[in-house]
Amino acid sequence: MIIIIGATGTIGSTLLERLVDLGVPARALSREPEKLRDQIGEKGRSIIEVASADASDPESLRRAFTGGSQLFLAMSNSPRQIELETSIIQIAAEAGIKHIVKISSPAFEKSSPVAVAGWHQQIEKTLRDSGLTHTVLRPYAFMQNLLNLAPTIATQDVFFGAMGDSPCNFIDCRDIADVAAEVLTNREVSGQIYTLTGSEIFSYPQIAGKLSALLDRPIRYINMEPQALNRNLIEHGHMPPWIANHVVEIQAMATVVLERPTDTVKRLLGREPRTLDAFLKEYVENLQ
Ligand SMILES: NC(=O)c1ccc[n+]([C@@H]2O[C@H](COP(=O)([O-])OP(=O)(O)OC[C@H]3O[C@@H](n4cnc5c(N)ncnc54)[C@H](OP(=O)(O)O)[C@@H]3O)[C@@H](O)[C@H]2O)c1
């Protein structure tokens, strides 16, 4: 039985759809199981079992992991991420789970620290020390993050950042979910570390150009100093400071570490990754 943590999340919700399409049974966990039952619908409920679990409640994890052989783990970022994922890994090992697929993040150079990436590195070490077979997926920025730019695009025809004109990797979360389904169902490709990207890199000024063409009006990218972006995200975006710091750290990192696409999605899935152009076209209604 495959256990899914993060089933209501961006990657996990798509992974469940893939498993349903493949007819692969799984047990999906949530702190809000009723919401999850509604999310997966009648067809999903015929294949996916839903259970209640909270990573901060070890007893709920023990119950939910009973009979599990594999665990998919995509935990939303929080200052408790190391503590919660460490507990999940320990309880999974005790429960007899044999293989963990973890959503991590790119491993950055020491010269450009990104705190959340450091958390993932620590959790990856716990996985290595556990002795369990583990597959680590390290995706770059989700294309779906670009939907967060919609409010200022809609009201001011602009979006803000601190990446200058540095080109970055983006990946569609649906490709991450497809890779997760593959590594959960094909033993030959499990037990590795995979860095996941789309097939091209793009800068924010280039994305502004794409949006201008799609929306048929000029959309401008406004580059800010990192500290000014941080203040803007907290004061106008109402972000908790630790999330604002994360966004700024990631963008500052992109200006110093050159990003390059990998061919991992194509190697694992036998097809090209989804493109940014296709993503923006599909979600244009959400961006105006
Ligand atoms: N955004 C990016 O560009 C990016 C890039 C690289 C890596 N990542 C990594 O991707 C991961 C997030 O993936 P995602 O976006 O698919 O996730 P997400 O949408 O943020 O949601 C993840 C899930 O976390 C679950 N969760 C949160 N707290 C929990 C708890 N105490 N107990 C049990 N479940 C809990 C939620 O389940 P319920 O609410 O249903 O309980 C939810 O389904 C992060 O670790 C992030 O660092 C993100």
Side-chain angles (χ1 to χ4, degrees):
M1 172 69 83
I2 300 173
I3 313 284
I4 310 282
I5 294 187
T8 59
T10 319
I11 302 167
S13 55
T14 309
L15 170 62
L16 282 188
E17 290 171 14
R18 296 293 174 272
L19 295 178
V20 170
D21 288 345
L22 294 168
V24 174
R27 183 181 302 145
L29 313 186
S30 173
R31 292 164 299 175
E32 297 180 273
E34 283 312 317
K35 206 166 109 186
L36 178 54
R37 274 190 196 96
D38 288 346
Q39 173 194 310
I40 62 178
E42 204 173 317
K43 185 177 173 205
R45 288 193 292 269
S46 67
I47 294 175
I48 306 292
E49 196 182 307
V50 170
S52 172
D54 183 335
S56 50
D57 173 1
E59 202 41 55
S60 74
L61 293 179
R62 282 186 198 103
R63 273 197 305 274
F65 289 173
T66 305
S69 54
Q70 302 193 78
L71 172 69
F72 171 80
L73 173 57
M75 177 70 91
S76 51
N77 291 138
S78 86
R80 292 186 68 198
Q81 192 157 359
I82 295 178
E83 172 201 340
L84 295 180
E85 292 201 32
T86 299
S87 169
I88 288 168
I89 293 164
Q90 283 166 351
I91 294 170
E94 288 161 14
I97 284 175
K98 304 282 183 242
H99 176 212
I100 296 184
V101 177
K102 171 180 161 49
I103 298 296
S104 184
S105 72
F108 296 123
E109 309 283 334
K110 283 205 177 103
S111 58
S112 58
V114 174
V116 172
W119 302 349
H120 281 301
Q121 291 307 300
Q122 206 165 319
I123 299 161
E124 286 188 23
K125 179 173 182 315
T126 302
L127 264 180
R128 285 194 297 278
D129 293 347
S130 74
L132 295 173
T133 303
H134 54 282
T135 305
V136 175
L137 305 184
R138 293 177 175 168
Y140 271 82
F142 301 173
M143 291 181 189
Q144 280 74 4
N145 295 351
L146 295 171
L147 301 176
N148 298 333
L149 305 175
T152 57
I153 292 175
T155 55
Q156 302 166 51
D157 291 342
V158 299
F159 62 94
F160 302 94
M163 290 201 292
D165 57 3
S166 309
C168 292
N169 284 312
F170 291 92
I171 179 158
D172 190 315
C173 280
R174 292 170 291 189
D175 284 337
I176 307 172
D178 287 346
V179 167
E182 180 67 18
V183 298
L184 285 164
T185 55
N186 178 359
R187 271 181 197 206
E188 284 181 19
V189 293
S190 64
Q192 308 284 326
I193 296 175
Y194 295 112
T195 299
L196 304 177
T197 71
S199 52
E200 294 171 280
I201 47 177
F202 295 102
S203 68
Y204 267 6
Q206 286 172 317
I207 291 175
K210 288 178 183 298
L211 290 171
S212 303
L214 269 176
L215 299 175
D216 202 20
R217 64 181 201 271
I219 305 296
R220 280 184 310 129
Y221 166 56
I222 298 184
N223 197 57
M224 302 174 92
E225 288 302 317
Q227 282 177 348
L229 178 65
N230 195 314
R231 274 198 306 278
N232 193 41
L233 293 171
I234 294 170
E235 286 168 20
H236 301 293
H238 308 292
M239 274 186 191
W242 72 268
I243 299 185
N245 288 345
H246 177 52
V247 172
V248 171
E249 282 173 358
I250 287 274
Q251 298 206 9
M253 182 278 309
T255 66
V256 290
V257 177
L258 183 66
E259 296 191 9
R260 285 194 195 87
T262 66
D263 63 355
T264 318
V265 170
K266 183 159 189 211
R267 273 195 293 120
L268 284 169
L269 302 179
R271 62 158 176 82
E272 293 292 339
R274 291 168 172 85
T275 65
L276 185 65
D277 282 335
F279 176 84
L280 293 176
K281 202 168 162 196
E282 183 178 349
Y283 285 93
V284 65
E285 293 293 325
N286 305 72
L287 284 161
Q288 13 221 346

